[in-house]
Amino acid sequence: MVRTNAHDRLRRMELLAVQLKQDSHCTVKDLALQHGVSTRTIARDLSLMREQGMQIDADRGRGGGVRLDRNWGVGRINLDYSEAVDLLISIAVAEQMNSPMFLASLGSVRRQLVASFSPEKRNKVNRLKARILIGVTASTYVQASASAPPKRVVQALHQAFIDQETLEIRYQREDGETSERQIAPHYLLLKYPVWYVVAFDDLRQGPRTFRCDRILAATKTGTHFNLLPKEAFRPSLTDDDLSV
């Protein structure tokens, strides 16, 4: 296994504390697989957590589980940069949708998150937020046919969108026909509850909008692209009530 540095260990211990409190049964082997480290590393982490006063119980015998006392608080949540960015963008989406429920404290949460960023990272987050578009609610017909995109697709699309990196995708049209495409994911469009990626499509040599749940596979290419203005994609976004 690859040796981890002190920052990785502290981060992993934070995640372990949350996981051990929520899950009724975790084994050291399962935890090692989930975190990509050896069982010995997890055992050392648990020992350090006990030294810090955490009440971690372990069942004796082969296959025994470990757990954190449910009365034990896990303390303040520490988010890494990518997690904080995702949360901030999620708040921005909720605010743009202008729903009256659960918005009372979001402004305060957003301000605290923004304050935790350096000016450079703050500008980066603002640029990302500007690339997320909110459209009209999806029709009942579209909602009836929608499904959750595969997790691997979501992860690849998410990272390519943030890094401005092109994707190779396998896409299935409404009629069931599939095709291989290379796209540059410039913008994300939410027509609640369905997400679309607004991209430059190399196959068609022009802008296209793809339903995320129809992307069957996605792989990052390692090739970066320059962002085009929203105006370049207007023909593929007609009849949408967009806000940024």
Side-chain angles (χ1 to χ4, degrees), residues 138-148 192-194 211 213-214:
S139 68
T140 54
Y141 174 79
V142 170
Q143 291 189 46
S145 63
S147 60
Y192 183 83
V194 182
R211 252 177 62 173
D213 62 325
R214 289 194 181 144

Side-chain angles (χ1 to χ4, degrees), residues 93 132-133 188-190 193-197 210-213:
V93 169
I132 297 178
L133 314 176
L188 292 178
L189 167 65
L190 174 61
V194 182
W195 281 96
Y196 296 78
V197 55
F210 301 92
R211 252 177 62 173
C212 292
D213 62 325

Side-chain angles (χ1 to χ4, degrees), residues 46-63:
L46 295 175
S47 178
L48 286 171
M49 292 165 70
R50 288 190 181 97
E51 290 177 8
Q52 293 174 357
M54 295 188 185
Q55 299 176 25
I56 298 175
D57 299 322
D59 298 327
R60 292 183 178 276
R62 190 171 182 176

Side-chain angles (χ1 to χ4, degrees), residues 104 121 130 219:
K121 289 182 177 178
T219 305

Side-chain angles (χ1 to χ4, degrees), residues 172-193:
Q172 185 176 47
R173 298 192 324 191
E174 185 177 4
D175 60 8
E177 183 178 336
T178 62
S179 60
E180 306 291 331
R181 310 286 189 100
Q182 182 165 302
I183 65 171
H186 283 68
Y187 299 92
L188 292 178
L189 167 65
L190 174 61
K191 298 171 86 172
Y192 183 83

